[in-house]
Amino acid sequence: MIGINTIKFIRSLRLKKNRRLDKKVILEGFRLICESINAGIKIDYIIVIENFESDLLNQKQFRNQSIKYCSKNNFHKISDTKNSQGIIAVADIKKYSNQSLDEIKNNNLVILDGIQDPGNLGTIMRTSVWYGVNSIALTHNTVDPFNLKCMRSAMGAHFYLNNIIQDDYLNIINYLKNNYKNIYVADMQGENLNKIKSNGNWALILGSEAHGIKSDFKQFKQITIKKFGQLESLNVSVASGIVMNHLRNNS
Amino acid sequence: MIGINTIKFIRSLRLKKNRRLDKKVILEGFRLICESINAGIKIDYIIVIENFESDLLNQKQFRNQSIKYCSKNNFHKISDTKNSQGIIAVADIKKYSNQSLDEIKNNNLVILDGIQDPGNLGTIMRTSVWYGVNSIALTHNTVDPFNLKCMRSAMGAHFYLNNIIQDDYLNIINYLKNNYKNIYVADMQGENLNKIKSNGNWALILGSEAHGIKSDFKQFKQITIKKFGQLESLNVSVASGIVMNHLRNNS
């Protein structure tokens, strides 16, 4: 059974400043924890509610993991979800601290500017990993990628990424100019995506739905998804998938 | 200022059974309400918090609307979001009650089987409208499309749809067999989406991420989005966008 100090520690990780300080993150939910272990992340320990279905823990992912039990009452104190499955892990994110743009090494890159919804951010990270992107760069006004909701919607994508970088947008723009030939900005008034053929690696910039993309980013090639019906815009994570699917199949 | 009966009525609309009974739905948030009015839905009245920025109400969408004010204290009782913008509308959904599959008239159609996350459902509805789909059919084990969270993520898409139909999956399968030549199921083991060319209208079936698609639906052509990287699957709303983008650009 876990004690009061573990409960306090886990609750402290709900705050970004503590996640940064301790270089630890919370993973909640069975599938997220399995996917994260598959991705090779180091799990410090896993906490399960006292009546947790023990069959699930027989899966190969849970061999050699440190499993701790927790009373129902205490589990509610550490859980962040309404209908919790009763399983939480604490994982190490030291790997992602103090990373710089120079570590990206000119692979396909996704840049996110000012995305505030952690569910969207996580879904874009998941989509990026599906399309073989292994680095993400976020401007400082983007939500923290280690936010609990972002972790849940990313489904372990974090741990397949080599680089999760947060930097000033001007540094990101400089880096792009010096390292990429194909730089695309998803926007409402750009060239039809269907006409884009990228030779070699690319960088894709996506902005917030509410505020759009910073004007400084508009110096790069703006591309637009063709609309066939109504409504002003697509959800940004859906747009990210459509653009990445096109770029990967046409480069 | 609104009274206790209005507060009680709005709170009652959080429950599916009351929404069905009264044929009313709650719209919360400025952008959602604007988009819904653009789409032509009938708004009964709009409630704004007492200190609501009056400039916003000068937009053309708000002319001829019935605007009621509400104290901060009472607004918290009717709001469903943490950081509310202080604006809620009650809209009429009589149009969507008792609709049947026969009303679809063989246009492009999206069928959703067992999608439980209202955010995903709303995002798929929004994406469908962007791609000019004007009917959606949902199996009975799918979350209620008039759920508040679904309304928010759909961004007014509901009201561009002619038909939002909930029916038994066997009825849906029969309807598809009798009316469509091109019926696609997004699944993990199907033909590469890039090879699909649909002549004429199509029906696209998407299932829940957790439970997959019902086996009865697998009699139709299974199609798969090509993976370039890692992770088991894409988010279902992202997948819906990638498939619809392909079908609309290749038919």
Side-chain angles (χ1 to χ4, degrees):
Chain A
M1 289 284 176
I2 63 166
I4 183 73
N5 286 337
T6 308
I7 293 169
K8 276 190 183 162
F9 176 67
I10 291 174
R11 287 177 64 93
S12 78
L13 295 179
R14 291 189 188 175
L15 293 180
K16 178 178 172 178
K17 65 171 188 182
N18 294 326
R19 293 192 290 266
R20 290 296 147 110
L21 203 67
D22 292 312
K23 303 179 177 63
K24 302 289 178 196
V25 79
I26 310 169
L27 311 174
E28 179 157 12
F30 187 74
R31 200 170 145 207
L32 169 58
I33 294 172
C34 285
E35 287 274 17
S36 301
I37 296 172
N38 289 346
I41 193 67
K42 190 182 163 292
I43 302 277
D44 289 359
Y45 47 86
I46 296 168
I47 297 170
V48 293
I49 200 164
E50 51 191 345
N51 59 345
F52 191 80
E53 206 183 316
S54 59
D55 277 2
L56 289 174
L57 297 177
N58 289 334
Q59 295 206 14
K60 68 175 190 311
Q61 283 96 335
F62 294 98
R63 277 180 220 150
N64 307 319
Q65 299 289 355
S66 158
I67 312 262
K68 302 179 181 197
Y69 283 82
C70 176
S71 69
K72 275 186 198 174
N73 204 10
N74 280 341
F75 199 89
H76 286 301
K77 294 182 189 157
I78 57 171
S79 169
D80 186 57
T81 58
K82 264 190 193 161
N83 299 306
S84 176
Q85 295 172 299
I87 182 164
I88 282 177
V90 173
D92 194 289
I93 52 170
K94 210 176 289 158
K95 172 183 168 187
Y96 301 106
S97 56
N98 303 317
Q99 288 190 318
S100 82
L101 289 160
D102 296 323
E103 297 171 46
I104 294 174
K105 300 193 187 91
N106 203 19
N107 288 311
N108 293 336
L109 170 65
V110 169
I111 299 106
L112 303 171
D113 172 36
I115 297 204
Q116 284 306 310
D117 182 296
N120 278 339
L121 177 58
T123 305
I124 296 172
M125 293 171 81
R126 180 176 172 191
T127 308
S128 302
V129 166
W130 172 276
Y131 284 108
V133 169
N134 53 30
S135 298
I136 300 270
L138 313 170
T139 60
H140 282 314
N141 58 337
T142 303
V143 66
D144 180 35
F146 297 104
N147 167 304
L148 274 77
K149 205 173 159 213
C150 181
M151 299 300 305
R152 278 202 297 275
S153 64
M155 278 285 171
H158 290 72
F159 309 124
Y160 284 110
L161 290 165
N162 294 334
N163 305 289
I164 302 172
I165 292 160
Q166 290 196 281
D167 207 334
D168 186 81
Y169 73 97
L170 291 171
N171 291 342
I172 293 176
I173 288 174
N174 267 334
Y175 175 78
L176 290 175
K177 282 181 171 174
N178 291 330
N179 289 278
Y180 285 82
K181 222 175 51 187
N182 303 305
I183 307 170
Y184 303 111
V185 185
D187 205 359
M188 303 303 289
Q189 274 92 33
E191 189 169 334
N192 184 334
L193 173 66
N194 294 333
K195 292 183 183 159
I196 302 295
K197 228 180 139 58
S198 125
N199 288 315
N201 288 337
W202 41 261
L204 170 64
I205 304 157
L206 297 149
S208 107
E209 282 189 41
H211 307 292
I213 199 90
K214 239 185 240 65
S215 61
D216 301 72
F217 281 115
K218 296 198 181 180
Q219 63 187 289
F220 302 119
K221 185 160 193 66
Q222 293 169 63
I223 55 175
T224 298
I225 297 166
K226 187 177 171 191
K227 173 157 106 171
F228 290 82
Q230 282 150 315
L231 279 176
E232 293 238 324
S233 64
L234 283 167
N235 166 283
V236 63
S237 61
V238 173
S240 83
I242 294 167
V243 176
M244 283 189 246
N245 185 67
H246 179 88
L247 292 178
R248 286 304 318 239
N249 282 294
N250 296 277
S251 65
Chain B
M1 288 285 178
I2 62 166
I4 183 74
N5 286 336
T6 308
I7 293 169
K8 274 190 185 163
F9 176 66
I10 291 174
R11 286 178 63 94
S12 78
L13 295 178
R14 291 189 188 175
L15 293 181
K16 178 178 173 180
K17 64 170 189 186
N18 295 325
R19 292 192 291 265
R20 291 295 147 113
L21 203 65
D22 294 310
K23 302 181 178 60
K24 302 288 178 196
V25 79
I26 310 169
L27 311 174
E28 179 157 10
F30 186 75
R31 200 170 146 207
L32 169 59
I33 294 171
C34 286
E35 287 273 19
S36 301
I37 295 172
N38 289 346
I41 194 67
K42 189 181 163 293
I43 302 277
D44 289 358
Y45 48 87
I46 296 168
I47 297 169
V48 294
I49 200 164
E50 52 192 346
N51 60 346
F52 191 80
E53 206 184 318
S54 59
D55 278 2
L56 289 173
L57 298 177
N58 290 333
Q59 296 206 15
K60 67 174 191 312
Q61 284 97 337
F62 294 97
R63 279 179 220 151
N64 308 319
Q65 299 289 354
S66 157
I67 312 262
K68 303 181 181 197
Y69 283 82
C70 175
S71 68
K72 274 186 197 173
N73 204 9
N74 280 341
F75 200 90
H76 286 303
K77 293 181 188 157
I78 56 173
S79 168
D80 186 56
T81 58
K82 264 190 192 163
N83 300 304
S84 177
Q85 295 172 297
I87 183 164
I88 282 177
V90 173
D92 194 289
I93 51 170
K94 211 176 287 157
K95 171 183 168 186
Y96 301 108
S97 55
N98 302 318
Q99 290 190 317
S100 81
L101 290 160
D102 295 322
E103 296 171 47
I104 294 175
K105 299 191 187 95
N106 203 19
N107 288 312
N108 292 335
L109 171 65
V110 169
I111 298 107
L112 303 172
D113 172 35
I115 297 205
Q116 284 306 311
D117 182 296
N120 278 338
L121 177 59
T123 305
I124 296 171
M125 293 171 82
R126 181 177 172 188
T127 308
S128 302
V129 166
W130 172 277
Y131 283 108
V133 169
N134 53 28
S135 298
I136 300 270
L138 313 169
T139 61
H140 283 313
N141 59 337
T142 302
V143 67
D144 181 36
F146 295 104
N147 167 304
L148 275 75
K149 205 174 159 212
C150 180
M151 298 302 303
R152 277 201 297 277
S153 63
M155 278 285 169
H158 290 73
F159 309 123
Y160 284 110
L161 290 164
N162 295 333
N163 305 289
I164 302 173
I165 292 159
Q166 291 196 281
D167 207 335
D168 186 82
Y169 73 97
L170 291 171
N171 291 343
I172 293 176
I173 288 174
N174 267 334
Y175 175 78
L176 290 175
K177 281 182 172 174
N178 291 330
N179 291 278
Y180 286 82
K181 222 174 53 188
N182 303 304
I183 307 170
Y184 304 111
V185 185
D187 206 0
M188 303 303 289
Q189 273 94 32
E191 190 170 333
N192 185 334
L193 172 67
N194 295 332
K195 293 184 184 159
I196 302 295
K197 228 177 140 53
S198 125
N199 288 315
N201 288 337
W202 42 260
L204 170 63
I205 304 156
L206 296 149
S208 106
E209 282 190 41
H211 307 292
I213 200 88
K214 236 184 241 69
S215 60
D216 300 73
F217 281 115
K218 297 200 180 180
Q219 62 186 290
F220 303 118
K221 186 160 191 65
Q222 292 169 65
I223 56 176
T224 298
I225 297 166
K226 187 177 171 192
K227 172 157 107 172
F228 290 82
Q230 282 152 312
L231 280 176
E232 293 239 323
S233 65
L234 284 167
N235 167 282
V236 64
S237 62
V238 172
S240 83
I242 294 167
V243 175
M244 283 189 246
N245 184 66
H246 179 88
L247 292 176
R248 286 304 319 240
N249 283 293
N250 295 277
S251 65

